[in-house]
Amino acid sequence: MREYLLGNAAIARGILEAGARVVASYPGTPASEVVEILAPLAKKYDLHVEWSVNEKAALEVAIGSSWTGMRAAAVMKHVGLNVAADPFMTLAYTGVRGGLVVIVSDDPFCYSSQNEQDSRRYAQFACIPCLDPADPQEARDM
């Protein structure tokens, strides 16, 4: 059976299929839908899902989980990456153990944000690989 998913739903599916154990985020459109999809499924998939006090804390929760060997994800909107810049920049040289994906949703044309920002430049600056999916299928697969 074929199922059609929007980008955030496809990302949530990919997180589950990859075996992530921890997902932390701070609410902000266009990224908050990922956690809203995962939260009701947390018990079924033995997944810790949390809304953190800000994006920096969310990324630090995910990094700490990864250091203990768990697969983790941090989810935020593009301006949230500014808030999480300190741990993001040091992540390049501290590394991870269990695997970590930082999901950043940019907001072209400012539909729900105060500005436009290209978060791919943060990845380039931090020397961290950046995956830029072209469609929901690629987002799930990545």
Side-chain angles (χ1 to χ4, degrees), residues 89-109:
M89 291 298 172
T90 58
L91 185 58
Y93 57 86
T94 59
V96 297
R97 279 188 60 211
L100 172 65
V101 177
V102 180
I103 299 158
V104 181
S105 298
D106 287 351
D107 187 14
F109 308 111

Side-chain angles (χ1 to χ4, degrees), residues 17-127:
E17 291 175 358
R21 299 288 311 281
V22 174
V23 177
S25 182
Y26 179 77
T29 304
S32 38
E33 207 173 46
V34 174
V35 170
E36 291 169 355
I37 292 166
L38 291 172
L41 303 170
K43 262 190 181 162
K44 179 179 179 182
Y45 289 93
D46 192 27
L47 178 67
H48 173 80
V49 179
E50 77 170 57
W51 289 119
S52 300
V53 296
N54 61 35
E55 295 87 351
K56 179 181 182 286
L59 183 54
E60 289 171 338
V61 165
I63 291 169
S65 300
S66 175
W67 285 345
T68 67
M70 291 186 272
R71 289 183 174 192
V75 184
M76 62 197 71
K77 67 190 286 181
H78 63 292
V79 292
L81 190 54
N82 297 330
V83 177
D86 285 345
F88 185 76
M89 291 298 172
T90 58
L91 185 58
Y93 57 86
T94 59
V96 297
R97 279 188 60 211
L100 172 65
V101 177
V102 180
I103 299 158
V104 181
S105 298
D106 287 351
D107 187 14
F109 308 111
C110 302
Y111 287 115
S112 59
S113 302
Q114 61 270 47
N115 67 17
E116 287 184 85
Q117 183 173 301
D118 189 347
S119 56
R120 295 173 295 184
R121 300 297 161 240
Y122 259 111
Q124 185 180 29
F125 184 46
C127 298

